[in-house]
Amino acid sequence: MFAPHPTMTWIGNASTGLLRMIDQTRLPVEFIEIDCRTVPQVWEAIKMLRVRGAPAIGVSAAYGVVIGVQSTSDAAPQQFLTTLDATCSELASSRPTAVNLFWALDRMQKLGHGIANEPGPDRLDSLLVEARRIEAEDREMCDAIGRVGAAFLPDECGVLTHCNAGGLATAGNGTALSVFFAAHEQGKTLRVYADETRPLLQGARLTSWELMQRGVPVTLICDNMAGWVMREGKVQAVVVGADRIAANGDAANKIGTYSVAQLAAAHGIPFYVAAPSSTFDLTLPDGTGIPIEQRASEEITHGFGRQTAPTGVEVYNPAFDVTPNHLIRAIFTENGAITPVTTENVKRVLQG
Ligand code: MRU
């Protein structure tokens, strides 16, 4: 069984340990790990996409909370709580769309509030145990999602994905890519068409790299080729990840996903979303309330160090879009597939 290098790892004990992560901005040319010892370092790593992908952001933030309270070993309960709450607020301000971030911070904060009166070192140990649990659960959810989704793929098929919903985006095997890894291991013959995913090229830099490492046939295409590749009959299914899914199944994912879903519908190709329960936001009845991150215009005008647009041009750079539930054939979760995608079915499957 292939064991990929962990996307992030906690090194050391609770009171002096640190968070080590692959710097994904350097892939695929350089494989470099960075060490985060402070909350601003974790914040910066999330903000700058050194660690990215909804579940990976959540796991990293959970470890970031441990880092944030390391100074409170000798602190009274009130001081501990003040530091804990400030750490959670700071990390929550890094990126707005992936709900896994807020889900993980909420878990850490709730636990912290329940143990504030315990001795300082015990509090730290308990928070590290919880962060490790969030990481381990994510790994298990990835595998379960892979098993669920693989059953939906034909024995021989072309599949298309957008952005990177692979191991690099999680603590385990990924979500959409876990489906491909599972199908491949089951002996299904598949070729993955990876959209390069403008403007930050997660598909080119990360998805094609991961699939090649795992020996899964992959063909890289520019985003604007997806429709033609479908028209040519090369794609029998689309599987993507998600950053936040509303109660009715409307799913936010990397900008461009909505266009792919429309193209899939136009060609009669099933469009699937793969995501763990930690990506659902049941407080939102539908996708209209999902906050969409706006990113710097330089990502478009100066992609990867070279100016490619006139100085001063007005730019619009939303990092995510929302695909409405009616375009989604099924959502693969660790509890099974949600299909058809309706509020009732989301609720039923998530309840187990
Ligand atoms: O901006 P990114 O790279 O964090 O966006 C990531 C995505 O859109 C992924 O598809 C999503 O987080 C799912 S990851 C399992």
Side-chain angles (χ1 to χ4, degrees), residues 42-54:
V42 178
W43 186 94
E44 192 269 353
I46 295 173
K47 179 80 187 169
M48 300 311 292
L49 276 57
R50 300 186 198 287
V51 64
R52 32 68 48 208

Side-chain angles (χ1 to χ4, degrees), residues 49 51-55 57 95 98 162-166 169-170 174-176 200 202 206 240-243 252-255 257 274 276 293 295 319-320:
L49 276 57
V51 64
R52 32 68 48 208
I57 292 171
R95 293 189 76 188
H162 190 74
C163 195
N164 173 266
T170 66
T175 57
L200 295 181
Q202 289 91 333
L206 310 176
V240 298
D243 288 82
N253 191 48
K254 178 54 56 193
I255 190 74
T257 302
E293 179 181 12
R295 291 190 64 89
F320 299 95

Side-chain angles (χ1 to χ4, degrees), residues 21-340:
M21 58 174 72
I22 301 171
D23 183 347
Q24 299 187 32
T25 63
R26 311 290 284 269
L27 285 171
V29 180
E30 294 171 295
F31 186 95
I32 288 174
E33 286 182 301
I34 52 168
D35 289 346
C36 297
R37 296 166 199 275
T38 67
V39 174
Q41 284 172 341
V42 178
W43 186 94
E44 192 269 353
I46 295 173
K47 179 80 187 169
M48 300 311 292
L49 276 57
R50 300 186 198 287
V51 64
R52 32 68 48 208
I57 292 171
V59 174
S60 301
Y63 285 122
V65 173
V66 180
I67 292 172
V69 295
Q70 279 176 331
S71 61
T72 64
S73 239
D74 301 325
Q78 196 46 53
Q79 180 56 39
F80 163 74
L81 286 177
T82 305
T83 308
L84 173 72
D85 292 349
T87 299
C88 290
S89 307
E90 185 173 348
L91 290 169
S93 71
S94 55
R95 293 189 76 188
T97 303
V99 78
N100 307 60
L101 170 67
F102 308 98
W103 169 86
L105 289 174
D106 200 48
R107 263 178 77 161
M108 297 298 285
Q109 200 166 12
K110 281 207 177 97
L111 179 83
H113 277 257
I115 58 173
N117 292 319
E118 290 179 10
D122 293 359
R123 292 186 304 229
L124 281 178
D125 286 342
S126 300
L127 284 167
L128 180 57
V129 167
E130 184 70 353
R132 285 195 192 283
R133 195 175 293 136
I134 289 171
E135 179 188 338
E137 286 173 14
D138 186 57
R139 210 172 292 126
E140 283 164 24
M141 290 191 285
C142 287
D143 289 341
I145 289 167
R147 284 192 295 274
V148 169
F152 281 74
L153 296 187
D155 287 345
E156 252 180 65
C157 58
V159 289
L160 185 138
T161 192
H162 190 74
C163 195
N164 173 266
L168 289 165
T170 66
N173 271 327
T175 57
L177 292 205
S178 179
V179 172
F180 304 154
F181 295 143
H184 181 70
E185 271 160 28
Q186 289 167 10
K188 295 190 177 186
T189 305
L190 71 162
R191 170 158 297 273
V192 181
Y193 289 87
D195 278 354
E196 66 175 351
T197 316
R198 282 275 291 150
L200 295 181
L201 305 185
Q202 289 91 333
R205 295 187 301 105
L206 310 176
T207 297
S208 56
W209 181 78
E210 271 194 51
L211 289 164
M212 286 174 77
Q213 279 214 325
R214 300 277 290 253
V216 179
V218 55
T219 301
L220 177 62
I221 58 171
C222 299
D223 299 338
N224 52 3
M225 297 169 189
W228 186 245
V229 168
M230 290 179 187
R231 170 83 185 171
E232 287 183 318
K234 291 185 162 71
V235 173
Q236 282 67 51
V238 175
V239 189
V240 298
D243 288 82
R244 192 185 292 230
I245 303 176
N248 71 343
D250 289 355
N253 191 48
K254 178 54 56 193
I255 190 74
T257 302
Y258 170 67
S259 313
V260 173
Q262 290 286 6
L263 286 171
H267 293 87
I269 296 168
F271 177 94
Y272 302 113
V273 172
S277 50
S278 53
T279 300
F280 285 77
D281 181 353
L282 300 183
T283 68
L284 299 177
D286 60 46
T288 54
I290 297 178
I292 301 294
E293 179 181 12
Q294 303 294 324
R295 291 190 64 89
S297 54
E298 288 73 24
E299 289 181 352
I300 294 179
T301 59
H302 292 71
F304 302 94
R306 182 169 177 273
Q307 183 167 348
T308 54
T311 302
V313 68
E314 197 170 308
V315 167
Y316 180 47
N317 185 17
F320 299 95
D321 58 28
V322 179
T323 299
N325 61 0
H326 69 90
L327 292 177
I328 306 172
R329 181 74 61 88
I331 304 178
F332 307 141
T333 77
E334 73 273 19
N335 288 350
I338 300 169
T339 185

